[in-house]
Amino acid sequence: MAFQKAVKGTVLIGGGAIATVFGLSQFSQYRNKHGTFVNVQAAEAVTVPIKHDFPTREEQILALKTTREFDVLVIGGGATGCGCALDAVTRGLKTALLERDDFSSGTSSRSTKLIHGGVRYLQKAIMKLDFEQYRMVKEALQERANLLEIAPHLSAPLPIMLPVYKWWQLPYYWVGIKLYDIVAGSQCLKSSYVLSKSRALELFPMLRKDKLVGAIVYYDGQHNDARMNLAIALTAARYGAATANYAEVLRLLKTTDPGTGKERVCGARCRDVLTGQEFDVKAKCVINATGPFTDSVRKMDDQEVPNICQPSAGVHIVMPGYYSPDNMGLLDPATSDGRVIFFLPWEKMTIAGTTDSPTDVTSHPIPTEEDINFILNEVRNYLSVDVEVRRGDVLAAWSGIRPLVTDPNSKDTQSISRNHVVTVSDSGLVTIAGGKWTTYRAMAQDTIDAAIQAHDLNAGSSKTIGLQLQGAEDWSPTLYIRLVQDYGLESEVAQHLASTYGDKAFEVAKIAQVTGKRWPIVGKRLVSEFPYIEAEVIYGVKEYARTAVDMISRRTRLAFLNVQAAEEALPRIVDIMGKELNWSEQKKKEELEAAKKFLYYEMGYKVKSDQLTDSSEITLVPSDIERYKKRFHMFDKDKKGFITILDVQRVLELMSAIQKGHVSGSRLAVLMKTAEENLGQRVVIPVDRSGGGL
């Protein structure tokens, strides 16, 4: 029965595939002939001079205050907003961008880190003959190729394994994945292929073995999303866009059109969040690119306008790198509740997600214990029984809000679009909503095209296809070797700098401090187990970082990789930023507390604390309590009344004991006794974490 169902389904899909292949083959031939020429032509057609460096934030704020009128004012500093600013400024339009928080502080830094077309959307397109879904996949695959080309230092192809546990699924999935390659055409990263059971286990040894039939491997792209977003913003700034983070829009400005008597949006009243100063920014066209906050800005224009944003929460968790191979991801196409889960290597860790559930719009989304456990349970289903998937191995967790939209121009008002929607209000406010990270450039192009048409702006076609982003121009895969040889950086640190800053890595290396060691010569790490160095904090300030949260979450990715490591690095980060930005001692304390609050609520500390409090049962007899209290005070030699991370590093076995829910019978007693005997002679030695987490 299962076999007949498989054959029937495969034949149906294969039949549709034949027609699809024919049409797409014609398209692919056309792109082979003309695609490369178009890319080069678009990038070289940019006539706007690019600056060697980008202005300071103070210079950008001054430009916003003193410019009489911009052609385009973009509200929102996520991927789409920054993409709009870059598209507009490279067409020769006088451009401004305002972001209430930091660049990429919202959804754009909380993605699955994939640059993809969407395998599941293609499945829906074929099964339901949905041309819109197909068009979205095709566009995304074209944009995937472009993004990998314009920022090779921040992105790379990633093989993703789809394990198969039933024989009939093998031809079914194979046809679907092959169609994915065909739709990509000449821009297919690498051809997908089938693996035998033994070969699949060789490449992904932690995979569950029982009932495994084989696997299919296909390719998508992966990137550092927050850094990619920042690269777009910095590139726009270098081309002359006045871009400012921490510049909040308070209300839209309007004027009456003398010809029609209608009110027209002509700018925005905004506030510099850091200084409290308010000022007006005038513009011929205002673009709303605020993601989940789309409706908030639309209601600034018209209080009666219906909502179009349908926010959906996506939670991800980060686990130690040993949970996945260094260069192989995993896709679970059908979880217990029908959602798709990715299990991917990222920054030498393992990222797992995502969930998809309705949520309220908020600037500070919080991951829930329910979502974290859902992901962990799905991971357990696919990993070998020999691999103990522990709650304590969750090093970080975060929630991002997807701005799904209903098209206001659609007759079916209940349909939610995963494609993007561009609308122009009666007063001229241009709104771009929906879409996904991969298609940010195409979304920006469509938005600026609509703005030019609606406001009769003097500009040509988009120039951003093939336009290299900040750091890409002189980058090469071997650039890190020059950093090692010329500056004496550790190889791991040099690789990190090259893959984060591209050809700008040399600017970071130049300001790196001497270590005083034989090797490395320069580059003091913020924490021992991650390649982030103190010089990045100084450079991060230059890149418009203005809070400690900016530094731990978006200029570096520490908060997204390991919240304990991020907390450990905070005091030093605050000291360096304080010196660069002339912070008072009070300001330093405020920044430290704000960053800890961010880690506690938004990066997963709180849910772990709650989980320990609610579910752990530590049973001690009165004599044990008294004995361990004395030993606690022996370890708390500074009389703080609590144990710090460094204290915990001395007694790392404590973490294992707490995770198991008991203390008696562990090696803790032996460790405590030894520590009591040697506490006076001990020297604090940093111990790299071996996987214990939140």
Side-chain angles (χ1 to χ4, degrees), residues 584-649:
S584 65
E585 289 302 315
Q586 179 61 31
K587 174 64 174 174
K588 286 184 181 180
K589 289 180 182 178
E590 291 172 359
E591 284 294 325
L592 196 59
E593 288 305 310
K596 287 182 178 180
K597 184 178 179 181
F598 169 80
L599 293 174
Y600 183 72
Y601 286 105
E602 297 185 49
M603 289 291 116
Y605 245 145
K606 182 181 185 299
V607 285
K608 179 58 179 179
S609 300
D610 291 346
Q611 188 250 355
L612 280 175
T613 303
D614 295 340
S615 61
S616 292
E617 297 180 4
I618 301 176
T619 305
L620 298 173
V621 298
S623 58
D624 284 336
I625 294 173
E626 198 59 36
R627 183 164 63 253
Y628 289 127
K629 279 174 66 177
K630 291 179 181 179
R631 289 173 179 172
F632 173 86
H633 291 305
M634 289 290 291
F635 276 83
D636 182 24
K637 64 177 183 178
D638 298 325
K639 309 299 181 185
K640 302 181 296 297
F642 57 88
I643 293 177
T644 65
I645 291 175
L646 289 177
D647 297 327
V648 173
Q649 287 180 330

Side-chain angles (χ1 to χ4, degrees), residues 416-430:
I416 296 178
S417 172
R418 289 189 179 268
N419 210 328
H420 62 271
V421 175
V422 180
T423 64
V424 181
S425 73
D426 291 339
S427 61
L429 176 68
V430 179

Side-chain angles (χ1 to χ4, degrees), residues 97 104 171 202 228 267 289 299 509 573 623 636 673 681:
L97 181 144
S104 192
E202 182 181 337
M228 184 74 80
K299 288 182 185 298
I573 288 173
S623 58
D636 182 24
K673 183 178 179 181
Q681 292 79 36

Side-chain angles (χ1 to χ4, degrees), residues 152-155 224 226-228 230-231 234 347 470-472 475 479 483 492-505 508 531-532 536 539 543 554-557:
H153 57 303
L154 291 169
S155 59
N224 186 336
R227 293 294 317 185
M228 184 74 80
L230 185 64
L234 296 177
E347 299 287 323
Q470 170 89 350
W475 177 86
L479 182 145
L483 292 170
E492 183 185 13
V493 171
Q495 288 176 352
H496 154 66
L497 294 181
S499 64
T500 301
Y501 304 94
D503 59 18
K504 302 299 179 184
V508 182
Y532 301 111
E536 291 182 77
Y539 195 77
E543 290 182 322
R554 293 174 287 274
R555 301 311 181 279
T556 71
R557 305 313 306 272

Side-chain angles (χ1 to χ4, degrees), residues 22 26 59 82 118 156 217 293 306 412 466 496 552 596-597 652 662 666 673:
F22 178 76
Q26 303 302 312
E59 290 171 338
C82 292
V217 175
F293 301 94
D412 179 9
H496 154 66
I552 61 174
K596 287 182 178 180
K597 184 178 179 181
L652 201 56
H662 63 272
S666 74
K673 183 178 179 181

Side-chain angles (χ1 to χ4, degrees), residues 376-413:
L376 287 174
N377 287 333
E378 294 303 326
V379 168
R380 290 187 184 101
N381 290 338
Y382 272 81
L383 295 189
S384 169
V385 293
D386 298 331
V387 180
E388 183 183 359
V389 180
R390 307 180 299 177
R391 175 61 179 83
D393 282 342
V394 177
L395 304 173
W398 70 86
S399 176
I401 301 178
R402 299 186 192 89
L404 306 180
V405 293
T406 53
D407 188 344
N409 300 317
S410 174
K411 294 179 181 179
D412 179 9
T413 57

Side-chain angles (χ1 to χ4, degrees), residues 21-37:
V21 168
F22 178 76
L24 292 173
S25 63
Q26 303 302 312
F27 172 74
S28 297
Q29 290 177 13
Y30 175 83
R31 286 201 61 85
N32 283 333
K33 293 179 180 179
H34 302 283
T36 304
F37 173 73

Side-chain angles (χ1 to χ4, degrees), residues 624 627-628 631 635 650-654 657 663-679 682:
D624 284 336
R627 183 164 63 253
Y628 289 127
R631 289 173 179 172
F635 276 83
R650 299 174 189 156
V651 286
L652 201 56
E653 289 289 336
L654 179 61
V663 174
S664 301
S666 74
R667 292 175 55 200
L668 180 63
V670 177
L671 184 63
M672 286 285 192
K673 183 178 179 181
T674 305
E676 286 176 6
E677 295 172 353
N678 301 298
L679 189 60
R682 290 186 66 175

